[in-house]
Amino acid sequence: DTEVTQTPKHLVMGMTNKKSLKCEQHMGHRAMYWYKQKAKKPPELMFVYSYEKLSINESVPSRFSPECPNSSLLNLHLHALQPEDSALYLCASSQTRGGGTSPLHFGNGTRLTVT
Amino acid sequence: AQKITQTQPGMFVQEKEAVTLDCTYDTSDPSYGLFWYKQPSSGEMIFLIYQGSYDQQNATEGRYSLYVHKARKSANLVISASQLGDSAMYFCAMRETKALNSGGSNYKLTFGKGTLLTVNP
């Protein structure tokens, strides 16, 4: 079982809806990530939070709004999405110590469909 | 320029045989990490194995071995004694340091395009 939990597993939303993706980890990791993965493509980094502060935003459109309320939780708020935003959204966490040596631990993802 | 290259879109292997999945990387960061992940059709990304730029020996985790050749900038994954459950997409990934506008730095994990491994009975 994965130690990073994402909810919901599946989400269908219209272009005018507002929804949120949730991610939770209890491994004591202080870095958390959102990745977007289109079918048959590799994951692409969207956001990185380090110690609950946004440290990397990979030029993601403002219709995606991340939030890190505490060290265990990471949310991704969605508003006015487009059909091309349909994808698997993966959350991950990692230790912050050890430089670039710590692996990212991923959740099972949320499969998002925008109609 | 692509930083992580996987040139095998698909690979086939007979059950119980070994298979090598190729990966090359490109970085000027002296401190980097090389990772392999497995992604079954269910979607979960499963961490398999890691080796850092300062590690002297190749890594082994059970049936997985990571062979890094720094001069060739290759990081190949060998799966020994393949099992039917090994059928999945395999991603090579590299973690580099990214300088932040705030003056600090953080680490960015970049994935290759993946290799779809099929294990035949």
Side-chain angles (χ1 to χ4, degrees):
Chain A
D1 288 339
T2 181
E3 295 178 86
V4 178
T5 304
Q6 289 187 244
T7 55
K9 293 189 188 320
H10 300 273
L11 178 63
V12 179
M13 61 184 291
M15 289 188 284
T16 58
N17 291 158
K18 286 185 181 180
K19 296 286 185 183
S20 296
L21 308 185
K22 297 186 183 299
C23 175
E24 187 170 6
Q25 58 88 14
H26 294 287
M27 294 180 282
H29 292 167
R30 301 304 295 274
M32 296 187 76
Y33 310 77
W34 280 115
Y35 278 82
K36 174 183 177 180
Q37 186 179 23
K38 301 284 278 184
K40 302 186 188 301
K41 298 287 186 183
E44 294 180 344
L45 181 66
M46 300 175 72
F47 303 104
V48 180
Y49 272 83
S50 181
Y51 294 94
E52 296 86 68
K53 293 188 178 177
L54 183 65
S55 60
I56 296 178
N57 177 342
E58 292 288 278
S59 303
V60 178
S62 60
R63 58 185 183 268
F64 295 92
S65 176
E67 178 196 22
C68 191
N70 60 54
S71 60
S72 299
L73 293 174
L74 184 67
N75 299 322
L76 186 63
H77 303 298
L78 314 172
H79 174 56
L81 294 194
Q82 304 297 311
E84 59 264 29
D85 296 322
S86 298
L88 179 68
Y89 289 83
L90 291 162
C91 172
S93 69
S94 74
Q95 296 178 351
T96 49
R97 63 181 181 275
T101 66
S102 301
L104 270 62
H105 297 264
F106 285 84
N108 287 337
T110 294
R111 290 195 184 274
L112 174 68
T113 301
V114 181
T115 60
Chain B
Q2 198 166 4
K3 298 213 167 190
I4 290 281
T5 303
Q6 293 180 255
T7 57
Q8 305 156 315
M11 288 283 286
F12 294 87
V13 65
Q14 285 300 121
E15 193 177 7
K16 300 181 185 177
E17 292 185 352
V19 63
T20 299
L21 305 184
D22 296 338
C23 173
T24 57
Y25 62 95
D26 184 23
T27 181
S28 57
D29 190 346
S31 177
Y32 58 88
L34 297 164
F35 302 81
W36 278 89
Y37 283 85
K38 171 185 178 182
Q39 189 176 39
S41 56
S42 59
E44 183 187 0
M45 292 288 285
I46 303 168
F47 166 67
L48 296 178
I49 196 167
Y50 155 83
Q51 185 162 323
S53 55
Y54 298 118
D55 291 333
Q56 298 299 315
Q57 290 186 321
N58 289 311
T60 297
E61 295 286 346
R63 296 186 296 111
Y64 305 107
S65 297
L66 175 52
Y67 293 95
V68 177
H69 195 293
K70 290 184 180 178
R72 296 188 204 136
K73 293 192 173 181
S74 66
N76 297 338
L77 176 71
V78 175
I79 305 174
S80 61
S82 296
Q83 301 172 355
L84 295 178
D86 293 335
S87 293
M89 182 70 83
Y90 288 81
F91 290 101
C92 179
M94 178 173 65
R95 197 164 185 192
E96 300 174 283
T97 305
K98 177 167 180 169
L100 304 176
N101 292 333
S102 62
S105 61
N106 211 318
Y107 303 102
K108 179 178 176 180
L109 188 68
T110 303
F111 290 85
K113 292 186 176 182
T115 296
L116 182 61
L117 177 66
T118 302
V119 181
N120 294 319

